[in-house]
Amino acid sequence: MSTPSRTTDSADSRGHVGRHAISIRNLKKSFGSNEVLKDISLDIDQGEVVCVIGPSGSGKSTLLRCVNLLEQPTSGQIFVGDDEITDPDVDIDGVRRRIGMVFQSFNLFPHLTVLDNLTVAQTKVLRRSKSKAREAARHNLERVGMTHKESAFPAQLSGGQQQRVAIARSLSMDPELMLFDEPTSALDPELVGEVLAVMKSLAAEGMTMMIVTHEMAFAREVANRVVFMDGGFVVEQGPAAEVIGDPQEVRTKSFLHRVLNPMVIEADEVGDEGVRDIG
């Protein structure tokens, strides 16, 4: 199960060639007796967009959180560029400064304005002057279409606007790559599009991104590669159009059938008393 049925070499579908931005080798992660990640090996090239899909509990978010050591792997190695972040002697804070992370929740400081939310880490972590921090903040607010809200407080923003501010905050730290953990899952459906549009623009700019998502249309359109996980394994990976449009593994086919056809009920899901609870 740990060997994918499709693989991509270092020259992806957009022609990106070079050293890996992220290299994961034989990664395992257990919580007590529960082994969540089972011997995961995966490479992401510079400038590549990789979407990780799969059912809840498959290990997607745990894998993402291991990449910047928010979760400590049980065994295996993770490299970000040339740095092994699983090395006990690594300067993990230094490596994390090169990684932007966007969560399901927005994690904005409620007592600070939008502009101040974007400048506080720049001045404290990057030691930028206040004027330089504001310059970077305004540039990134413009990138996500939120310049007009720089004086607003988070409570005055919609969920989609707060998530765009969270993305701008990460961008203001000048990351080499971005990690997104289901960034639209906490949003009302009508607000999802504005966040995905920002992520699409980042992909067009060449930002390296690893994205855990349930948005199949977005993954198919934007990702260079889709990785399907289930039960702690990488079951299948390959070009987005192929994995989503023509999956080879039975488990991938089953998952995508359910996701893409949520109202279709299979015969084996109907018993003597009607439709079983399949939630």
Side-chain angles (χ1 to χ4, degrees):
M1 292 289 287
S2 61
T3 301
S5 60
R6 290 187 175 114
T7 60
T8 56
D9 58 24
S10 60
D12 63 32
S13 60
R14 293 181 186 174
H16 298 120
V17 181
R19 71 184 176 98
H20 299 307
I22 302 170
S23 290
I24 300 168
R25 293 287 176 270
N26 307 114
L27 182 67
K28 296 182 180 182
K29 173 62 181 177
S30 297
F31 295 97
S33 61
N34 182 23
E35 190 175 29
V36 177
L37 299 178
K38 304 172 183 178
D39 199 23
I40 299 288
S41 292
L42 184 68
D43 293 320
I44 297 176
D45 289 334
Q46 290 183 327
E48 191 177 17
V49 178
V50 173
C51 284
V52 184
I53 65 172
S56 297
S58 60
K60 308 182 303 294
S61 292
T62 300
L63 174 63
L64 197 75
R65 291 171 66 86
C66 283
V67 170
N68 63 357
L69 235 57
L70 290 178
E71 293 288 355
Q72 182 70 45
T74 302
S75 64
Q77 295 175 293
I78 302 173
F79 296 85
V80 175
D82 295 326
D83 295 310
E84 183 189 346
I85 68 168
T86 43
D87 184 336
D89 297 325
V90 72
D91 177 9
I92 186 59
D93 291 332
V95 177
R96 282 178 177 151
R97 283 195 287 270
R98 295 155 42 201
I99 305 172
M101 181 92 184
V102 178
F103 300 90
Q104 298 177 35
S105 56
F106 321 122
N107 297 323
L108 300 176
F109 294 112
H111 63 291
L112 297 180
T113 65
V114 165
L115 188 64
D116 288 341
N117 263 283
L118 268 65
T119 58
V120 62
Q122 293 186 67
T123 56
K124 293 183 180 298
V125 178
L126 300 183
R127 304 297 182 186
R128 282 181 180 158
S129 67
K130 195 168 186 178
S131 62
K132 288 292 186 182
R134 286 186 171 181
E135 181 182 347
R138 289 185 170 120
H139 169 69
N140 287 300
L141 285 173
E142 183 177 4
R143 292 171 76 181
V144 303
M146 290 296 293
T147 303
H148 62 300
K149 293 291 187 179
E150 72 169 46
S151 299
F153 289 89
Q156 298 171 309
L157 306 177
S158 70
Q161 289 174 328
Q162 290 188 60
Q163 192 63 294
R164 283 190 280 161
V165 170
I167 293 172
R169 178 179 58 186
S170 289
L171 292 173
S172 294
M173 301 298 287
D174 298 330
E176 296 177 9
L177 59 96
M178 294 281 288
L179 308 177
F180 293 86
D181 187 7
E182 299 190 33
T184 61
S185 65
L187 301 179
D188 292 334
E190 63 184 7
L191 302 177
V192 168
E194 63 189 57
V195 174
L196 295 181
V198 169
M199 296 169 64
K200 184 177 178 180
S201 69
L202 292 177
E205 293 173 12
M207 175 64 74
T208 304
M209 296 194 288
M210 184 176 179
I211 305 165
V212 171
T213 184
H214 290 294
E215 302 290 341
M216 296 300 115
F218 171 81
R220 185 167 189 164
E221 180 180 359
V222 177
N224 300 102
R225 186 157 38 109
V226 166
V227 174
F228 173 68
M229 290 184 63
D230 187 39
F233 292 101
V234 171
V235 175
E236 183 168 358
Q237 65 171 306
E242 293 183 14
V243 172
I244 295 177
D246 185 26
Q248 301 301 298
E249 297 292 330
V250 172
R251 184 63 187 98
T252 316
K253 292 178 181 179
S254 174
F255 170 78
L256 288 169
H257 178 73
R258 287 293 185 90
V259 170
L260 299 175
N261 304 280
M263 299 303 294
V264 175
I265 300 172
E266 301 297 339
D268 62 359
E269 295 169 353
V270 181
D272 295 337
E273 299 178 357
V275 179
R276 296 204 309 263
D277 180 6
I278 59 175

